[in-house]
């Protein structure tokens, strides 16, 4: 059922399918590539990179990371190259999506939270109101962008997705997804999913675009479910 929220720029959403999700996954990154859902799960001593069946939520393969690494967001820059952030280790992991094996590491100038790819730049959040645009091969910073809603900077930017020409961002410790103009940083829409946040679960975190249906797959940290949703705004 569509939900309209009392924000200046309110998103209208409708619920589609409800899909299983590993409640042990402290979800940091989520991205769909063909018929495979890639997910990164965080925390020291528990971090992993996963291939997941998007129809069932079943984890089909997984690579555990060294205990010294805290995995964060991920994105694919091609079907054969995936980047996975680390939180405070100043490293980006370059991963083969087919095997989930790390092939190299790149330096990261700051904290890693969320990651997405617009076809030209890799876009990173660091928990503040600033987005960083990186060269996808070297992770050198090209430029930055401040995200603001009605002039107010929006901190807590976390997991990211690039779709429909916009940046979509989870906002840490909320059930909100912000739709951001990548040219100006202006928040065009705020969509709240608190009504479907599982009780007792962790923060909402995880957005994957489904191009075949023009919908999104969303979940959260230690959620037992994922949802497909349609999001619209004026």
């Amino acid at each position: 059922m569509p939900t309209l929220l009392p924000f200046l720029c309110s998103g209208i959403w409708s619920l589609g399918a409800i899909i299983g999700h590993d409640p042990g996954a402290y979800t940091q990154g989520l991205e769909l590539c063909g018929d495979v859902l890639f997910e990164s799960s965080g925390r020291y001593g528990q971090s992993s990179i996963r291939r997941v069946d998007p129809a069932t939520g079943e984890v089909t393969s997984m690579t555990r990371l060294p205990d010294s690494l805290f995995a964060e967001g991920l994105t694919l820059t091609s079907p054969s190259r995936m980047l996975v952030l680390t939180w405070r280790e100043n490293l980006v992991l370059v991963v083969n999506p087919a095997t989930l094996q790390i092939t190299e590491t790149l330096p990261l100038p700051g904290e890693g939270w969320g990651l997405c790819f617009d076809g030209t730049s890799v876009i990173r959040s660091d928990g503040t109101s600033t987005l960083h645009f990186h060269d996808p091969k070297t992770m050198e910073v090209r430029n930055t962008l401040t995200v603001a809603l009605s002039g107010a900077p929006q901190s807590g930017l976390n997991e990211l997705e690039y779709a429909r020409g916009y940046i979509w961002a989870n906002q840490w410790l909320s059930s909100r997804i912000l739709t951001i103009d990548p040219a100006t940083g202006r928040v065009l829409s705020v969509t709240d999913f608190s009504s479907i946040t599982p009780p007792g679960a962790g923060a909402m975190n995880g957005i994957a675009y489904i191009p075949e249906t023009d919908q999104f797959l969303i979940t959260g940290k230690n959620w037992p479910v994922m949802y497909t949703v349609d999001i619209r705004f004026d």
Side-chain angles (χ1 to χ4, degrees):
M1 182 176 185
T3 301
L4 183 62
L5 294 157
F7 291 107
L8 181 62
C9 308
S10 299
I12 301 173
W13 63 270
S14 57
L15 180 64
I18 302 175
I19 304 161
H21 180 249
D22 177 10
Y26 193 75
T27 304
Q28 304 285 48
L30 203 66
E31 186 160 329
L32 188 66
C33 183
D35 59 356
V36 178
L37 181 66
F38 292 94
E39 181 175 18
S40 50
S41 177
R43 289 184 167 158
Y44 290 113
Q46 301 178 36
S47 289
S48 64
I49 311 166
R50 300 147 177 251
R51 289 171 60 100
V52 178
D53 182 341
T56 65
E58 178 187 359
V59 178
T60 57
S61 61
M62 176 170 61
T63 293
R64 294 194 178 277
L65 299 183
D67 290 353
S68 59
L69 298 181
F70 192 121
E72 285 280 350
L74 61 77
T75 195
L76 280 83
T77 58
S78 77
S80 60
R81 190 172 188 266
M82 181 164 62
L83 301 178
V84 181
L85 292 175
T86 60
W87 182 26
R88 291 176 169 170
E89 288 68 62
N90 301 115
L91 290 175
V92 177
L93 312 178
V94 182
V95 175
N96 181 334
T99 64
L100 301 183
Q101 297 304 303
I102 300 169
T103 58
E104 62 175 306
T105 61
L106 299 171
L108 180 66
E111 288 191 7
W113 285 49
L115 205 62
C116 68
F117 182 52
D118 66 2
T120 302
S121 296
V122 171
I123 306 167
R124 170 178 61 97
S125 64
D126 62 4
T128 69
S129 59
T130 300
L131 294 177
H132 307 262
F133 289 69
H134 297 260
D135 182 290
K137 293 184 179 179
T138 66
M139 288 300 289
E140 179 182 356
V141 177
R142 291 171 166 171
N143 61 284
T144 60
L145 185 70
T146 298
V147 174
L149 172 61
S150 301
Q154 296 296 295
S155 63
L157 301 178
N158 202 356
E159 218 272 299
L160 305 176
E161 182 77 349
Y162 185 83
R164 301 180 186 164
Y166 306 117
I167 301 167
W168 306 75
N170 284 123
Q171 194 165 29
W172 176 233
L173 296 181
S174 82
S175 297
R176 299 171 15 143
I177 290 178
L178 309 183
T179 310
I180 302 162
D181 182 338
T184 66
R186 184 167 69 94
V187 175
L188 304 175
S189 170
V190 179
T191 311
D192 191 292
F193 292 94
S194 56
S195 64
I196 57 171
T197 299
M204 182 179 177
N205 203 48
I207 317 167
Y209 181 61
I210 310 170
E212 291 78 13
T213 60
D214 194 25
Q215 294 176 305
F216 293 87
L217 188 65
I218 63 172
T219 191
K221 299 177 184 297
N222 305 119
W223 283 22
V225 293
M226 300 186 289
Y227 301 104
T228 61
V229 295
D230 183 39
I231 307 173
R232 299 292 166 183
F233 62 95
D234 294 328

